Structure formats: structure tokens, C-alpha cells
Amino acid sequence: MSRNAYIVGTGHHVPEHVVTNADMEKIVDTSDEWITTRTGIKERRKVEGSTASSDLVSVAVQNAMEMAGWKPSDVQGIIVGTVTPDYPFPSTAALVADRLKMGNIPAYDFEAGCTAFIYGLIQAKAFIESGIMDRMIVVGVDCLTKITNWDDRGSCILFGDGAGAVAVSSEGPGGRLGGWHWGSDGSLGEHLMQIGGGSKNPASHGTVDRNEHTIFMNGARIFKHAVRAMHDSCMKALEQDGTEKKDVDLLVSHQANLRIIDATARALELEPEQVYINIQKYGNTSAASIPIALDEAYRSDAIRETSTVVLAAFGAGLTWGGMILHW
Ligand code: COA
């Protein structure tokens, strides 16, 4: 009998500290009006002091395990999508597995920018359907405010911090992982990157002086790519799933810009109540944005027992991806 993979628990965690658009007006030459009309963002969350990705992940994972009814020893593997791990190594996944006493399970980080959570779900589907694992945790986390260029008004107003997690099992009931699509185009990678800190430009006084440990973004170029990538990802995932647009109940997409979400919703011919939006509260939380939105949608009953949900994202790489979930 063929095996399926189901989301049986969701959880998220965001830092308490709120940074409003009025706060941003004190940092760069901007306005609440500009940020709201161009992005849909009203406020975002920011970690303080030495709080790092693993701290947010630990709480998000505990929430997901609680919903799933799992003990830490039930988890057979944990994978964490992030571009802001606690350290280049060891992995944030291994740190969290240890902190939550999951035992000596496989634990690793991977990177696909803001698309990471969808890449993670596709990995989970492969691991579970092939029988490599029965129960695993997929996490998306980023603390982008730690690598934000606070002098660049074109990017610093966008980002916030957060973590989201799902428990994926070979046994339902839950949200079955269905059709998917994923891709990348490294020739466009230069439009969204952190130039310093890797093997090409290792950390040095020069990289710090040139602000190369922060995010460089060509916003207009990314915007153009994003609209097309989100549309393509949804359509290809739906086609692979054998589901038509009219059968979609809810879109839970990456929360990067309200105008990008609206364009995706229009392409899917969805009504406003069929689109889950929380960008106004959190800004762009990168790899965490979809699992945070998914958890909120699930706990607020926007997802019901028979919902068909479309996930779609794009991000650094450039990468993109989509997945269909059937509750
Ligand atoms: N406040 C006020 N003005 C700002 C501003 C800010 N925070 N940021 C940029 N501007 C100005 C620009 O300087 C420019 O002024 P000019 O015309 O005098 O040169 C003007 O606003 C328009 O800038 P532009 O970059 O064309 O705006 P936009 O409509 O493309 O919106 C983004 C900018 C960044 C909001 C938009 O491009 C975007 O969301 N891109 C995608 C980014 C993204 O999703 N990145 C993450 C990928 S996961």
C-alpha cells in the first residue's frame, strides 16, 4: 500500500518586541503611508540581545509537537530551513534536537531563502512516503533583523523575525502533502544576497566596513520575478496534484509584499476570504512566513477538515516552490 505524509501539528513563535512603521520613520527616511501602500506591512517583530533562531524554533516545535500529541522521543528527524542559523555550524537543527531532548536523531539545516519551508515539506514528503521516517519535524526560521542593512530604506522596512514548524507523520488524519513544484535560477542570485561571510568573502575588517554581512536586495527586480514565480509554482503544483483552481479553498503564500500576494490570488481567481494574510503584523519573516501563516490559519479555523490549501513561495537563490495540502 502506498504511503502518504500528513501535517498533524503546527506551531509558531515570534519575538515579543514590536517595531512599528512609526519606529521605522525614526530609523530611515520613510513613512507609514509609503510602507503600507507599497508593501502592506504595518509592523514587524524583532529579536533582542543574544536571542537567536534556535530560541524561536524551540518554542515553535514544542507547539507543533503538542498539537500532534508527540513526545520528543517520537521525533525521528528534524530539518531546519534558514539563512540565519545560530552559527555557520553546528546546525540549528542539531542544537534544537539536543535542547528538546529528541535523542540522537538526524538533524540538519538547509538553505533556500524564503522558499525553504516548501523545500522542507518536499523533503519530508520524500522521507515519509519512501519509509525512511514515520514522524519528522520541518521548520522554517529566520532572524533577518540580525542581518538587515538599517541604512537601506528599500529593504530594512520589509523584514521581521519568527519561526514556524510542522509535525509530519505517515499516519493521518491531517493535511496530506500533495502535488508540488520547486525550482531555482542561480543566474539571478546576485539580486538578493549576503555578500560577506562565506568562503568567497570570509569575514574580515573589510567585509564589515563595507557592510557586506547585511542583505543586499534589488527590490524591483525581485518583485518582477516573484509575481511570475508564485504564479508558475501554484499552477504547476495544482497540475501535478490533479486539482483545478476552482477547488482551492485557501492560499497560504510567502508574505513578502501584499501586492505580490494579491497578484497570486487574482491568478488563482480567489475571493479575498480565501487568502490568508498576516504580513501587516510580521512583515517578511523569510523561511518562517508560510509556517507561521499556516499555524495561524489552522488555529483560527481558516483551514477546515476538508480544505484544499495552496502554498507558494519565492526567495533568494533565486528559488521558488509550491505545494498542495489536502485536509
Ligand atoms: N520609504 C520611502 N520611499 C522609499 C522607500 C521607503 N522605505 N524605499 C524606496 N523608496 C523610494 C525609492 O527610493 C524610489 O524613489 P525614486 O523614484 O525617487 O527613486 C521609490 O520609492 C520607488 O522605489 P521602488 O524600489 O521602485 O519601489 P517599489 O514599488 O518597487 O517597492 C519594494 C519597493 C522593495 C517594496 C518592492 O520592490 C518589493 O517588495 N520587492 C520585492 C522584495 C522582496 O520581496 N524581497 C524579499 C524576497 S523573499
Side-chain angles (χ1 to χ4, degrees):
M1 218 178 78
S2 71
R3 287 165 58 99
N4 284 314
Y6 303 88
I7 293 177
V8 295
T10 60
H12 82 273
H13 186 61
V14 292
E16 272 174 33
H17 181 57
V18 175
V19 180
T20 64
N21 287 349
D23 296 325
M24 293 306 307
E25 289 174 4
K26 294 177 201 141
I27 299 171
V28 283
D29 179 14
T30 190
S31 65
D32 174 46
E33 202 263 334
W34 192 95
I35 300 173
T36 307
T37 53
R38 297 294 178 114
T39 71
I41 300 165
K42 298 299 283 183
E43 57 189 44
R44 68 288 287 148
R45 301 298 180 94
K46 184 173 182 295
V47 287
E48 293 180 288
S50 62
T51 303
S53 290
S54 68
D55 301 307
L56 304 184
V57 173
S58 297
V59 183
V61 170
Q62 278 171 316
N63 291 339
M65 287 198 304
E66 194 181 321
M67 188 191 286
W70 289 2
K71 303 182 296 300
S73 58
D74 292 329
V75 178
Q76 296 173 333
I78 176 168
I79 61 175
V80 174
T82 185
V83 294
T84 52
D86 286 28
Y87 311 103
F89 58 88
S91 71
T92 300
L95 297 176
V96 171
D98 175 60
R99 196 178 305 172
L100 299 185
K101 301 197 174 3
M102 290 174 171
N104 302 124
I105 58 169
Y108 64 88
D109 294 355
F110 62 95
E111 189 226 292
C114 302
T115 317
F117 183 71
I118 295 208
Y119 271 47
L121 284 185
I122 295 169
Q123 293 175 71
K125 183 177 164 76
F127 283 140
I128 302 243
E129 289 186 356
S130 63
I132 290 176
M133 289 189 215
D134 289 316
R135 291 173 302 281
M136 64 180 287
I137 298 283
V138 180
V139 176
V141 61
D142 271 309
C143 292
L144 285 192
T145 69
K146 297 259 185 169
I147 58 164
T148 293
N149 179 352
W150 296 102
D151 295 326
D152 177 17
R153 69 175 180 168
S155 65
C156 72
I157 49 105
L158 296 174
F159 304 120
D161 303 329
V166 292
V168 187
S169 172
S170 58
E171 281 181 40
R176 180 172 60 79
L177 308 189
W180 79 94
H181 174 72
W182 53 349
S184 75
D185 184 352
S187 73
L188 300 174
E190 65 189 14
H191 296 296
L192 182 55
M193 69 189 297
Q194 182 182 328
I195 295 162
S199 58
K200 190 83 173 172
N201 300 298
S204 69
H205 290 292
T207 60
V208 173
D209 292 344
R210 291 189 296 275
N211 218 358
E212 288 175 356
H213 296 276
T214 60
I215 298 167
F216 167 80
M217 187 185 77
N218 177 348
R221 190 70 187 75
I222 297 292
F223 189 96
K224 213 170 103 187
H225 163 81
V227 172
R228 200 181 57 240
M230 295 274 271
H231 175 260
D232 279 7
S233 295
C234 291
M235 294 309 164
K236 287 180 176 150
L238 280 170
E239 189 184 339
Q240 201 207 49
D241 196 66
T243 295
E244 292 183 34
K245 282 196 284 195
K246 65 174 177 44
D247 297 319
V248 173
D249 295 303
L250 190 71
L251 170 68
V252 180
S253 76
H254 175 41
Q255 310 278 309
N257 186 311
L258 190 54
R259 290 181 289 150
I260 298 172
I261 301 171
D262 284 345
T264 310
R266 272 198 305 277
L268 288 174
E269 297 171 31
L270 296 175
E271 299 298 328
E273 64 274 13
Q274 294 177 296
V275 186
Y276 195 82
I277 294 169
N278 63 8
I279 190 171
Q280 69 284 1
K281 294 192 289 184
Y282 304 130
N284 179 348
T285 57
S286 185
S289 103
I290 290 181
I292 292 174
L294 194 62
D295 184 41
E296 286 192 346
Y298 191 80
R299 290 176 194 264
S300 69
D301 289 334
I303 295 173
R304 302 196 190 85
E305 289 311 311
T306 56
S307 291
T308 294
V309 179
V310 176
L311 310 182
F314 66 95
L318 299 182
T319 55
W320 56 84
M323 181 171 260
I324 313 301
L325 305 177
H326 295 281
W327 255 272

